[in-house]
């Protein structure tokens, strides 16, 4: 991590990181759309066990990196909820020829 000399420089670095975060979320979402092709039902799309596994894993990672696990849980809950809805739509599109 670079040592910034001004507030403007700090903000510039934060903006770069924000862009990377959005790019990673977009990449994750593209994989979610691919996953829909391998599922046979809406229940498989919802995958409650997998969602819980992901949430526990990212909470542990947050703790390891000294980031609020509650913040990470809330972010991932929102992201997963939205992506599940998107995956359901993708699933319906691929199964309705």
């Amino acid at each position: 991590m670079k040592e910034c000399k001004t507030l403007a420089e700090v903000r510039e670095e934060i903006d770069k990181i924000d862009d990377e975060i959005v790019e990673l979320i977009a990449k994750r979402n593209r994989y979610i759309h691919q996953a829909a092709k391998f599922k046979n039902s809406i229940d498989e799309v919802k995958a409650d066990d997998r969602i819980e596994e992901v949430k526990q894993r990212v909470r542990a990672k947050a703790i390891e990196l000294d980031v609020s696990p509650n913040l990470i849980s809330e972010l991932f809950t929102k992201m997963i909820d939205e992506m599940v809805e998107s995956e359901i739509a993708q699933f319906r599109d691929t199964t309705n020829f």
Side-chain angles (χ1 to χ4, degrees), residues 1 9 14 16 18 20 24-26 29 37-38 40 45 50 60 63 65 68-69 79 91-92 94-95:
M1 188 166 94
E9 194 175 355
I14 289 170
K16 288 177 190 175
D18 290 346
E20 290 176 28
L24 288 171
I25 291 170
N29 196 53
K37 295 186 288 189
F38 301 102
N40 298 309
V45 171
R50 171 66 177 152
I63 291 166
L65 296 174
S68 166
M79 181 176 63
F91 175 79
R92 287 185 174 137
T94 60
T95 57

Side-chain angles (χ1 to χ4, degrees), residues 33 36-37 39 89-97:
H33 282 261
K37 295 186 288 189
K39 298 182 180 177
Q90 181 71 24
F91 175 79
R92 287 185 174 137
D93 286 348
T94 60
T95 57
N96 293 327
F97 306 155

Side-chain angles (χ1 to χ4, degrees), residues 30-71:
R30 288 190 296 273
Y31 280 113
I32 294 297
H33 282 261
Q34 283 187 42
K37 295 186 288 189
F38 301 102
K39 298 182 180 177
N40 298 309
S41 70
I42 297 294
D43 286 337
E44 280 187 53
V45 171
K46 291 180 180 177
D48 292 332
D49 290 345
R50 171 66 177 152
I51 291 169
E52 189 58 34
E53 175 187 319
V54 169
K55 288 179 183 180
Q56 292 303 317
R57 184 177 51 76
V58 297
R59 275 186 73 81
K61 188 67 173 179
I63 291 166
E64 175 188 324
L65 296 174
D66 197 28
V67 176
S68 166
N70 292 337
L71 168 66

